Amino acid sequence: MSDELPEHVARNRAAWDVYAAEYEEPGRRNWAAMDEEPCWGIWHVPESEVGMLPADVAGLDVIELGCGTAYVSAWLAHRGARVVGIDNSEAQLATARSLQHEFGLEFPLLHGNAEVVPYPDESFDFAISEYGASIWCDPYRWIPEATRLLRPGGRLHFLVNGTLLMLCSPDDEDAPVEDRLLRDYFDMHRFDWPGDSAVDFHLGYGDWIRLLRANGLEVEDLVEVRPQEGATTRYPWARLDWARRWPSEEVWKARKSR
Ligand SMILES: C[S@@+](CC[C@H](N)C(=O)[O-])C[C@H]1O[C@@H](n2cnc3c(N)ncnc32)[C@H](O)[C@@H]1O
């Protein structure tokens, strides 16, 4: 029941049940691209430049935290992984289920909060999140949970908005990112946007490193994503000229100690 959820999770559930309609068509396009090289984030940067996936996922137990329409899970299942997707929005999962039927590829989809996942410790080899738990869950809750779910040596890869992008983003969520710092770096954590009920979370670099390491995760890489020239996006706040100069997205790669 939504009353039992933490406040930010209940708010994000209500918000994503509304946003879900806008994600159906992009979700379908991504499912349909199952045979192609995966592309990531708002600029569709190819896997070869980002390395979101381990070299070989066949036979791995994988969980996608905040799977939305579950196209990332579909890409992984199609490549031979045993995948589970969890998402907080029943409406997003309804799209995911209908895409499973449409494309003839099924895997378990759970409705729930990725900060508290109903799987035993050490159930997975790989955990992934592209703008899922990685920005919509409280990192001080979902990182310990993702670590608990991983086997020793297991990997956690996640994609988030770039820290600089968050600092240069105006309060109006749809207004384009600016070329100047608009908010404080210190004490970054929870972002409440005026006029929007959803809540997202972003940390500074030192806080990310300390949080990952405190949970027994070794940071293997931080990829500052740079879109290709001519890249396009459907998000009105993003600017290609900006994103060619500064990282608008970041991929963190961490590994649980053996
Ligand atoms: C942007 S989608 C991510 C899926 C896909 N990679 C994409 O970029 O479209 C964000 C998803 O995170 C989910 N989400 C938000 N809070 C969550 C939580 N506490 N637990 C699990 N999923 C959550 C939302 O319901 C939404 O489906």
Side-chain angles (χ1 to χ4, degrees), residues 63 65 86 110 113-127 141-156 211-212 214-217 255-257:
I63 185 157
L65 300 165
I86 181 166
L110 303 181
N113 173 13
E115 297 168 351
V116 193
V117 178
Y119 268 84
D121 295 357
E122 303 186 1
S123 293
F124 298 97
D125 304 299
F126 180 50
R141 297 180 188 227
W142 81 268
I143 291 288
E145 185 64 349
T147 314
R148 180 187 73 75
L149 293 167
L150 284 175
R151 297 183 178 126
R155 291 190 158 95
L156 168 65
L211 174 60
L212 293 166
N215 281 281
L217 292 164
R255 189 160 198 184
K256 184 167 171 174
S257 310

Side-chain angles (χ1 to χ4, degrees), residues 3-4 9 50 64 70 86 91 105 122 129 154 178 180 190 206 245 252:
D3 330 346
E4 296 162 11
V9 179
V50 176
E64 185 182 3
I86 181 166
L105 183 63
E122 303 186 1
S129 182
E178 297 192 11
R180 62 195 178 102
R190 173 177 165 138
R245 296 178 69 195
W252 286 88

Side-chain angles (χ1 to χ4, degrees), residues 175-243:
V177 57
E178 297 192 11
D179 292 353
R180 62 195 178 102
L181 297 170
L182 297 173
R183 55 188 83 242
D184 294 349
Y185 180 87
F186 291 112
D187 300 325
M188 280 174 79
H189 179 216
R190 173 177 165 138
F191 284 57
D192 285 274
W193 301 89
D196 191 336
S197 56
V199 181
D200 48 350
F201 295 87
H202 306 273
L203 297 182
Y205 297 108
D207 285 343
W208 269 126
I209 290 169
R210 281 183 290 277
L211 174 60
L212 293 166
R213 290 181 58 81
N215 281 281
L217 292 164
E218 183 189 334
V219 177
E220 293 200 315
D221 203 356
L222 168 60
V223 179
E224 291 116 331
V225 180
R226 189 182 199 195
Q228 295 171 330
E229 279 181 44
T232 57
T233 181
R234 66 194 180 94
Y235 294 92
W237 44 265
R239 286 171 39 204
L240 184 62
D241 65 322
W242 195 102

